[in-house]
Amino acid sequence: MTPNSPKIPYGGDYNPEQWPQEVWDEDHRLFARAGIDTLTVGVFSWSLTQPAEDIHDFGVLDRTLDRAAAEGRRVCLATGTAAVPPWLARTYPEVNRTDFEGRRHRHGQRHNFCPSSPAYRRLATVLAGRLAERYAQHPALLAWHINNEYGGACYCELCAEAFRGWLRARHGTLDALNDAWWTTFWSHRYTDWDQIEPPSALTEHWRGPDHTAFQGITLDHRRFMTDALLGCFTAEKEAVRAHDPDTPVTTNLMGAYRPLDYHRWAPHLDFVSWDNYPPLDAPPTRPALAHDLMRGLKDGAPFWLMEQTPSATACRDVNPLRRPGELRLATFQAIAHGADAALYFQLRASRGACEKYHGAVIGHAGRDDTRVFREVAALGAELSDLGAITLGARTPARTALLFDWDSWWALEISDGPSRLVRYTDVVHRYYRAAREAGADVDVVPVTADLTPYDIVLAPVLHLVKGDLAERLEALARRGGTVLATFLTARSDVHDRAFLTDVPGPLAPLLGIRVDEWDARPQDVVQPVRFAESTAEARLVFEIVQPRGAEPVATYGADFYAGTPAVTRHRFGAGEGWYVATDLDRSGVDLVVRRVLARHGLIGPYAAHPAVETATRVTPDGTSLLFLLNHAPEPVRLTAHAAATDLLTGKRAERGEPLVLDPLGVAVLRPRPGSGDPGVSE
Amino acid sequence: MTPNSPKIPYGGDYNPEQWPQEVWDEDHRLFARAGIDTLTVGVFSWSLTQPAEDIHDFGVLDRTLDRAAAEGRRVCLATGTAAVPPWLARTYPEVNRTDFEGRRHRHGQRHNFCPSSPAYRRLATVLAGRLAERYAQHPALLAWHINNEYGGACYCELCAEAFRGWLRARHGTLDALNDAWWTTFWSHRYTDWDQIEPPSALTEHWRGPDHTAFQGITLDHRRFMTDALLGCFTAEKEAVRAHDPDTPVTTNLMGAYRPLDYHRWAPHLDFVSWDNYPPLDAPPTRPALAHDLMRGLKDGAPFWLMEQTPSATACRDVNPLRRPGELRLATFQAIAHGADAALYFQLRASRGACEKYHGAVIGHAGRDDTRVFREVAALGAELSDLGAITLGARTPARTALLFDWDSWWALEISDGPSRLVRYTDVVHRYYRAAREAGADVDVVPVTADLTPYDIVLAPVLHLVKGDLAERLEALARRGGTVLATFLTARSDVHDRAFLTDVPGPLAPLLGIRVDEWDARPQDVVQPVRFAESTAEARLVFEIVQPRGAEPVATYGADFYAGTPAVTRHRFGAGEGWYVATDLDRSGVDLVVRRVLARHGLIGPYAAHPAVETATRVTPDGTSLLFLLNHAPEPVRLTAHAAATDLLTGKRAERGEPLVLDPLGVAVLRPRPGSGDPGVSE
Amino acid sequence: MTPNSPKIPYGGDYNPEQWPQEVWDEDHRLFARAGIDTLTVGVFSWSLTQPAEDIHDFGVLDRTLDRAAAEGRRVCLATGTAAVPPWLARTYPEVNRTDFEGRRHRHGQRHNFCPSSPAYRRLATVLAGRLAERYAQHPALLAWHINNEYGGACYCELCAEAFRGWLRARHGTLDALNDAWWTTFWSHRYTDWDQIEPPSALTEHWRGPDHTAFQGITLDHRRFMTDALLGCFTAEKEAVRAHDPDTPVTTNLMGAYRPLDYHRWAPHLDFVSWDNYPPLDAPPTRPALAHDLMRGLKDGAPFWLMEQTPSATACRDVNPLRRPGELRLATFQAIAHGADAALYFQLRASRGACEKYHGAVIGHAGRDDTRVFREVAALGAELSDLGAITLGARTPARTALLFDWDSWWALEISDGPSRLVRYTDVVHRYYRAAREAGADVDVVPVTADLTPYDIVLAPVLHLVKGDLAERLEALARRGGTVLATFLTARSDVHDRAFLTDVPGPLAPLLGIRVDEWDARPQDVVQPVRFAESTAEARLVFEIVQPRGAEPVATYGADFYAGTPAVTRHRFGAGEGWYVATDLDRSGVDLVVRRVLARHGLIGPYAAHPAVETATRVTPDGTSLLFLLNHAPEPVRLTAHAAATDLLTGKRAERGEPLVLDPLGVAVLRPRPGSGDPGVSE
């Protein structure tokens, strides 16, 4: 249920309330020059729309939306509840959060509300309802944007009480809870719900949120806080729905954001939107992974790119500038991965406060002759030309990567074997290997339907829950390939170790047994010998005893030299692969390409490391192949099929040269009879 | 209004209250041997002078001052209010500070008083008054020393209330305040003064005092805290003045101390004094910059060196020993830059507590045959020989460097473009270049009269306030040179961006326009090509479009290769220079020497990098040239003019060899008709 | 009063309460296979043994002990008071600790009780008494284990009041306290006991527990907290003794654990036990030092190794695996140094919470065919074969190393000269030199009887207390050697500097005078020239003036080049050595070997750096020489005497080859007439 639009909505966050009327006129003039048609409005407007508890004032919003409508623009309207106004924080001190250190905050910053505070919930919901009542029928309204970038956590007494209620609902009895958390360890057996304290620096934690005495309570608290914030979202959404049954509702997520399990949120969003701020020195597969994770939230449905910077961020220690062409490339990358909108933070730079140096389409001097404005405008024109063709298109991936917040949390709060293993680093290395080999990848929850896939990657999937093991076995039985790694399948939904050989319920599928594992500092390198070459491994070295599996690679040093580091197990018509150590990129590439090759999923341009490919299939069945050149040099390809580039109109026959400019993009539509451009021959 | 003295006062902090009477006798015997004539007394004496709220006991001070007078020594008498006695902290808990984290402290350490506490203010003021009443006429009294090293901050409710009062006085209305702080951003519009919370870890800040959501509130809070502590000083000073209308009053400052804007303090001090503890691995221009900053506080008037260590500090992780000769060199450096006193912390080493390993003239064993004592005594003899000649002398600088606490704060609390740029590092690089080229430099506030100067340096002067731009233009029009750098002139007094091209009000003078800027980590090096050579730049790279200026140097790499990195703009009879990136030392030296050369300000010994020169002109018009050899080897110069070395009595004719010992010093008085020794020929 | 046992007790922590009955059966089957005869039971059982304030329930313990007895195993029974149950923390919030930052904690983790809380003291004591009443006569009972790993600190008001009481008892009057702490410095003179606050982040400290304004109060607070926790121990012990006059009582210590001065604890323990978790990359002399420190607590009596991991730890960032053979080697090392028991944490791995990845004899899968289980079982068999021979044996050391918690604390809380000097690093370097040269070393308190020794090492012994100087002089007079180092003998028991030349009361013995000292960062290296070779020194460089001593080595650089860095002073028939700087390992080795050689204490295998030797003399006078090969390669020795290896039964004649396997061990019993195997020829 993505908002209806005749083309990719293009625009971004717009804060006219910060400026006098004459600036508004200039804004719309510049929007027109830049092809901007969509404005995200009101994100931090609470102190204006409700200057006192008993006063609502929608004057600025009225003028903003009316003007937008008059100019033919659409509005993504925020409820504005992500930063409480000063009067509210002062009147209801309990609205301010209590932090992990136990300190009650006072008014300041943003994202500063306690999710369990009745005052906040009441006032935010009333405001959302009033907005919906007022603007549901407004011609400019395109979508609802609840709150903003939900995140963080609160540890106040109200949240503690809500946590206890959540635990009762989850565990039913204290006996069940004591068993789940293994409280007999360290004399923690609870005899009353009131004895349970939220896990914080004052209770179960030391050295910050990742060091806990009881993984069970910390996992449950993260789930609870996910749900508590989600409760704020759904309350506002219900208030909107009471007045507006149709307009799609979203909130902007943050990609691979650890604190919130977005898989719990996904069913409640009408469509997914997210803010893409990759570290600008990250490889392009980092934002690609995030895009695919976001697309995976709602079963492959397109999403909105709600924010990106047109030039630079401000919040980092060092804020590099996007080089010429990078913005366009990043925007087409988003579209290639499923984005059906391209929005910026921000349209006009704030004059003061902490984001005044954040990139904007319109800078402080208000010029339209800056490099950045020119690039934004050129991209606006391209998107206008592109029209509706990509809207609603979906990705025909045959490879799934299991992404699991529970496993992320459990891995990183684990005492032992190694604090140095970071979930998304390992996940990214497997994702990157598949993507650079030309495979489309769905990044999906462990509950996803796996029947569409040939391959399932399960890197460091620490927890195995529900019937996942059975479903993976079923996939392998029918010919598919499952790949798991070290520290996969170590514990159950409560992070209790399986009382069987490692890797627990996946052991039959993988055909191995692991009794012990070594962990070493970053500077200890273990050679891993494949038939073809030798890769390097680090951090964790599991010692594998094959129980049906055959070795694919072996350790080259230490007392376990010669034992398997990578194994393959024939299972039914398929295979179970296990990588027992933290292989470097070359090793992971080698393993993943072998798995992809088994299923014919190596892409036609896999030999060009800087060229990213991605396929989207439009609602009418047209398969579009996006080619993205991430190198600052041109790249010369040989067309694998006859196709037309939608951006240039150029045609290429199979076998003809196909040149991508530095940071260049092509969107290839195959010509009839030329075969699927997304699949290798 | 520096205290009257027939010679440079020599001595330091003296704490006889820690010792029995027989030690006092020994003290004075050793003082005589070392030429010590001035004692700073009573700095932490409150718990002795007022052992209970209703008891004052001046017995120890009486004996100390009487003894000093009897021995012919003078006393700089402290009010002793910098550390509250335990009984006071216990009786009035609100006197203890609340820290940035919101934690109310209890008794401990020093500098531990809340500046807004009425109890503290009342008791400190009464004590100061009682002391003045008792000792105003004492023959030993030379100066008043209020409190000690004011600093730090308090975040208690009393300070919050005082902050609100200060804001009312500054901004007048909430509308004005909301506009100044740009509170529409992030829903911060205040509707009542009571809603304003001091910016702290519990409100607007994260990751410490430099990360704030609102630069405006944080800047105002630093100004407020500066004024709040200043209020403590002026209250005590008034209490002293009620009984003693004449004796000069000071408090010891700390050089380039970020928390307090000393320019706000300067008018209230009768004379400036400061404590010089440079990191001993710092180049000599670091303490020189601090000396010049301190001298600039009161328009070039001489100051007191209130503290330095005779040997080592104690408070650092590593406390190196001053090598033989370093103490003498550092002392003459202070005098060369305007010091009219040379005092130590401390005369006798404390037996216990955290400064027992801090260097002292007299160590724990009480010896007078240590190396340190011998060097102190030899220096005492030299200063006696020198007599009054340097007293009251002033520095005839034609180069001014603008030093601005507001810019320092704004730069370092800014989100974007780079957290890695540190104000004093950049300022020091420009200062060092000018000093090593032989120019005397006044380090002055932005409000200073600029008419005496040929050159004004404005490195990273982030804020441009008041009529500064006009005064800089006036200086250039009449032939002067203004040099600004990257991140200069970005925002106004409230840290709101100028709504014009960068560099805001300085753009006309500098003849450039900047639309965008790149920021990169420390390890990214950008070559900057001058006609003569290539320098290196780092951290921030502004992309300059000349609008009248000509390029002096260009970037050598990246997409902005070939665009200007340094520019010069003819403006009236003068020039505006802009350095658009964080140039390394060689690049800054090159630029600054070109600017100095234009005005004939390269010194006669500029080719000798280890030789520092500084000029002071005595009240009778004699120009003294200090030569300081910072190298551990002798240096052979050729005298640029006929002069006599006041320290040795040696004469040199122009063109004759002039040898400075390792770490050696000369104070050259020109002979009639020999020309000004401080200016190159 | 080590518990009676016919052989080395072998086993470890056992938590059957976490498991159903069928697992217990399996446990005992596996214990039998592994030779496990001793179980540590009930360590964290409080929430089970007392599920509510008015209910005690010993059912699980009854079954555990009865079953152990039935299986022929013995139990080390814990009182279980180291982690309070949730109900207790909720009912008596004051039982939870207040941390150094002043934050009252709530229930969580373990070691979480305030030692001054009457509720905790009462409930823990009652519980201990009830346990003793119930199990004193139980046939399985072998020893009492009070609480667990006492440590940490509390800063609540109850502790503050207890601290004041402790201070009254120690100092008697406020005048004495003010003098001891040198409170005249910084206006700290106390006029009422209530004014004294525990030193914390809210009072005297900054940058954590090692930065204090007053060393005196911080030292006293650490002594107080040592005593406060000891008070918890003795209260429980008394409660046990009321019902059980005979069974030995211990608590498990933690080796060189800085927070608690174990020398204050030693008299109250019936026997010492400790938990050995060396960083696995530490040299073997690190755990050896800890063993010898533990053995030194009770005048050389054997101790129990209460915990070690059979494979890996879990609590570290990186938890390496013990390689094959390392567990056996570490266990024999413990025995070689005086251990009369070898116990593990843990026998069966916890299923959940923060130690589930901690190594265990029995893993989650419950197997007996893992490498770790096999090694444990093989070692169990060896220990059975060894029988009683080592029990009660003592170490005939002629070298003493003075280890002093007061000096450790004072050195590391000192402001100046260098924060980089770490007490145990320097101590270890001297200890290692002696051990690697083959000398047995007793690590003893400064109050120890020194008459048995030829050599006393006093590295960085910052405080010199009591009559130590006289006793060291007596030792030297009769021919012994005393070695002291930089920063030895700087201050008295209150950390007040001696008012004499450095090194204070040791100056006559050492024949030197030190007036000044340099401190430099880690990267500054000073060459130190010996006659034989040149070593490197770092961090602190004291400048020594000989006053009777002769130089052994001199500094090679800087202005003190050529002055002595190491000196030797003939004193009576003996010598006083001084090392004035932080010599590297080669320099310390050279100095220590010269001292050892003087007394003929270089061992017979000192030329083999990987071979550790240690001697124990059994109650019947047999001298056993342990040979431990820490290298992963075999080592070939030449037997220095005729002996039989107790582990293999092999005999070697003097001069014959003696081969140790990689990580191999031999326990040599000399054959009659072959001389003492522990002494070089």
Side-chain angles (χ1 to χ4, degrees), chain B residues 152-428:
Chain B
C154 179
Y155 293 85
C156 74
E157 277 307 308
L158 291 165
C159 283
E161 198 51 37
F163 181 43
R164 292 176 196 122
W166 185 95
L167 290 170
R168 273 179 200 262
R170 175 174 178 79
H171 293 282
T173 67
L174 278 172
D175 277 352
L177 176 146
N178 279 314
D179 189 49
W181 293 355
W182 209 248
T183 57
T184 309
F185 178 81
W186 285 7
S187 190
H188 266 51
R189 205 152 181 90
Y190 297 101
T191 53
D192 191 306
W193 296 97
D194 284 349
Q195 291 160 4
I196 301 171
E197 304 282 359
S200 75
L202 303 186
T203 61
E204 299 294 0
H205 281 255
W206 67 98
R207 283 178 62 192
D210 282 4
H211 288 73
T212 176
F214 282 78
Q215 279 67 28
I217 189 172
T218 298
L219 278 181
D220 269 349
H221 191 262
R222 291 195 183 170
R223 292 164 180 149
F224 156 71
M225 193 51 63
T226 291
D227 289 355
L229 287 162
L230 175 57
C232 295
F233 171 82
T234 55
E236 286 197 41
K237 186 181 176 188
E238 281 165 29
V240 167
R241 277 284 167 268
H243 299 281
D244 180 350
D246 299 321
T247 311
V249 174
T250 192
T251 186
N252 49 344
L253 308 181
M254 291 181 281
Y257 176 68
R258 199 180 73 160
L260 298 189
D261 180 351
Y262 286 149
H263 288 136
R264 300 173 89 98
W265 282 60
H268 305 277
L269 303 173
D270 292 335
F271 69 104
V272 167
S273 65
W274 84 285
D275 301 344
N276 183 23
Y277 294 105
L280 293 190
D281 58 353
T285 41
R286 275 277 179 183
L289 169 57
H291 286 309
D292 287 353
L293 173 64
M294 294 293 96
R295 190 185 70 237
L297 290 184
K298 292 195 78 72
D299 203 22
F303 57 87
W304 272 24
L305 178 61
M306 185 67 93
E307 294 184 14
Q308 68 170 331
T309 178
S311 54
T313 55
C315 59
R316 299 195 169 120
D317 286 354
V318 173
N319 298 278
L321 184 63
R322 286 191 143 165
R323 268 97 188 106
E326 289 186 351
L327 171 64
R328 174 175 181 264
L329 181 60
T331 305
F332 275 107
Q333 186 191 39
I335 295 167
H337 283 268
D340 269 6
L343 306 173
Y344 299 108
F345 183 86
Q346 49 192 343
L347 294 184
R348 180 179 282 277
S350 173
R351 188 178 181 192
C354 67
E355 293 189 339
K356 72 175 179 294
Y357 286 127
H358 190 102
V361 172
I362 308 168
H364 293 125
R367 289 188 170 276
D368 59 8
D369 64 350
T370 64
R371 176 184 69 85
V372 168
F373 189 90
R374 284 192 301 259
E375 291 199 21
V376 167
L379 181 55
E382 276 193 301
L383 296 183
S384 292
D385 292 347
L386 198 59
I389 188 164
T390 61
L391 296 179
R394 299 176 75 99
T395 301
R398 290 164 61 193
T399 301
L401 185 148
L402 300 182
F403 192 101
D404 182 44
W405 264 267
D406 276 339
S407 288
W408 189 356
W409 294 337
L411 185 82
E412 297 190 355
I413 65 176
S414 181
D415 251 24
S418 172
R419 291 274 172 189
L420 306 185
V421 179
R422 307 307 292 173
Y423 182 72
T424 54
D425 286 351
V426 181
V427 165
H428 173 252

Side-chain angles (χ1 to χ4, degrees), chain C residues 221 366 613:
Chain C
H221 191 262
T613 62

